Amino acid sequence: MKIEDILHFSIRASTGYRTRTLLMLLAMAIGVASVVILTSLGEGARQYVTDRFSSLGANLLIVLPGRSETTGGHPPMLGETPRDLTLDDALALNRSASIRRIAPITVGSAPVSWKQLEREVIILGSTSELYEVRHLSMGQGRFLPAGDPTRGGAVCVIGYKVKHELFSNQSPPGEWVRIGDRRFRVIGVLAKKGQSLGLDMGDVVIIPVASAQALFNTSSLFRILVQASSREAIPRAKQVILNVIRERHDGEEDVTVVTQDAVLSTFDRIFTALTLTVAGIAAISLSVAGVLIMNVMLVAVSQRTTEIGLLKALGAPRRQIMSLFLAESAMLSLAGAALGLIVAFTVIWVLANIFPDFPIRIPLWALAAAIGVSLLTGLVFGALPARRAARLDPVEALSRR
Amino acid sequence: MIYLDGIERVFQVGDEAVHALRDVHLEVKQGEYIAVMGPSGSGKSTLLNIIGLLDRPDRGVYRLDDVTATDLSDDQQAAVRRHKIGFVFQFFHLVPRLSASENIELPLTLAGMEPEERKSRVQAALKAFGLAGRAKHRPDQLSGGQRQRVAIARATIMEPKVVLADEPTGNLDRASGKDVIEILERLNLKGVTLIMVTHDPELGKRASREIHMVDGRIS
Ligand SMILES: Nc1ncnc2c1ncn2[C@@H]1O[C@H](COP(=O)(O)OP(=O)(O)O)[C@@H](O)[C@H]1O
Ligand SMILES: [Mg+2]
């Protein structure tokens, strides 16, 4: 029998029994759609987190004051208080070959005013190297000038939202603003860029670190951003940082170093596991569809018993009867999968339009797996009914009415 | 052409063994027209099923065209059915979702014949059996006589040497039953061996040979 005739015969057979065909299509469609949609969501979440962390900048290490409980080692001794990180600590790190740049950071909040307008804004104190370390870019003017970090200048760089709210459409570079009780000259405006690590870079004012320390009357740093000289140098840089700080803090390792890659790969693992888990759960609905297919095909075999007897009387060998029924369940599965894909694509298209920032898209492997698994389900769960059909005794089958 | 010797067929029904055929001996030459008669339950259908290779005897030898059919595998028997044997049933057994012409075409499709060849053969058969205007009708849109004519067209489309008809008129009124018998007899005149089960003694007399069965034996 020709392949096209087998397919044609199966299509005629399945359209002959509308209800059961629709039932099978529906079950398979639900299974396939849920696999594809859930994996797409998981994959999107992973992509989202990865993107956020990558935007921090390459080969980044973050030095925080205080020992983190999660890094293991000894619990803090009684009476031991972590020492502050100072600007000198930061500058001492600069001597290692495995470290390319450092950006010390102090953070505070102060009222910023120009003419009659005033706003409370986050003030970042840092150095010219922050520009490279955090992958910033300028919308107007230039960033903090290089120079001795221990000397503050009366200059500042403002975020685009601050610019918008204080200056609306006038050009800020060259203007003087008041931050707290001091005056700073605006030398640049940051380009529009998204969030990074929870801080909206549009809504900050950046001033030299020494000026910030004077402004907030402190000698401590919020954290130190360190850029390693290469990806391979990250572990060495981490060790150098710990060594230098311990030496400077009387032998106490009272800082925590977080590497961006470690964070990233952890998230990557978590989200991949999550995606696979939801895919697995969704796959259960596929196997439910498989069981349904089996039942529906068994019903089909008993409904069409006399037809099978007739096919045998006409000289159809077992193999042929088997392939007719297998073709039917495989085809119904594939049609259901196609329906499911249409549903999945529609849902994802709608979601992508509602949440344009969320990078949701259908992973190719999920697509291939959904189609492959549905076809396999059709064949595997169709095999038992098909075998039953092929083994029917023709005399008995024909004597049934 | 057909040679049966010592054929036994026993069905196990509960603890009881039902002897449907007992020591049956039968020889049929090519082109014969045989009427199988006998009371209900005497084994007529069982005999026909064994000749048609739908059933295997428990004992005995069956040769068809000098091939010992009882030695063949299932697939080989299927091939013999496909090419040499045509069945006509009391209840027609048409596929309900297929049109008259598709039902007639079915054996050709199963045999893997090219579509053009199939179409021309089906056209010829439709004309020969007076079904030209009914090609697109589904079985439930046909009368009993038309259904049986479609079934006969299907049974003969592969040009078999033997046609086995089990009470072909059992479900038809007299007029269309006569029609069907005439069609079958016309086939026999062209050289097809015809073995027909019937209850009608009048029909039996038209055959070239009558076989009477009682209790699984040919008497
Ligand atoms: N599949 C079967 N299982 C059990 N008994 C059967 C089966 N087929 C036929 N028989 C029995 O064999 C005997 C002959 O049946 P059958 O050949 O159909 O008779 P007929 O066609 O002459 O009416 C009957 O007694 C019937 O009950
Ligand atoms: Mg009978």
Side-chain angles (χ1 to χ4, degrees), chain B residues 65-112:
Chain B
D65 281 344
D66 296 324
V67 176
T68 308
T70 34
D71 290 347
L72 297 177
S73 72
D74 282 0
D75 279 3
Q76 287 169 323
Q77 288 198 342
V80 172
R81 283 200 297 274
R82 185 156 65 237
H83 295 291
K84 294 191 175 172
I85 298 166
F87 282 97
V88 179
F89 307 96
Q90 182 181 353
F91 297 111
F92 323 129
H93 290 316
L94 300 179
V95 180
R97 61 176 178 280
L98 300 182
S99 69
S101 63
E102 285 166 329
N103 265 291
I104 297 171
E105 192 182 359
L106 196 52
L108 307 177
T109 312
L110 290 172

Side-chain angles (χ1 to χ4, degrees), chain A residues 393 395-396, chain B residues 11-13 18-20 38-47 166-167 197:
Chain A
D393 173 33
V395 176
E396 229 171 280
Chain B
F11 292 105
Q12 201 68 38
V13 183
V18 179
H19 287 259
S40 179
S42 58
K44 307 180 296 294
S45 295
T46 307
L47 178 65
D166 195 345
E167 302 185 38
V197 173

Side-chain angles (χ1 to χ4, degrees), chain A residues 316-338:
Chain A
R318 283 185 179 187
R319 213 167 351 94
Q320 201 168 40
I321 290 168
M322 188 133 169
S323 44
L324 283 175
F325 278 85
L326 273 184
E328 197 172 325
S329 57
M331 228 170 38
L332 286 173
S333 304
L334 277 184

Side-chain angles (χ1 to χ4, degrees), chain A residues 77 118 214 334 350 377:
Chain A
M77 302 272 195
E118 181 176 291
L334 277 184
V350 169
T377 312

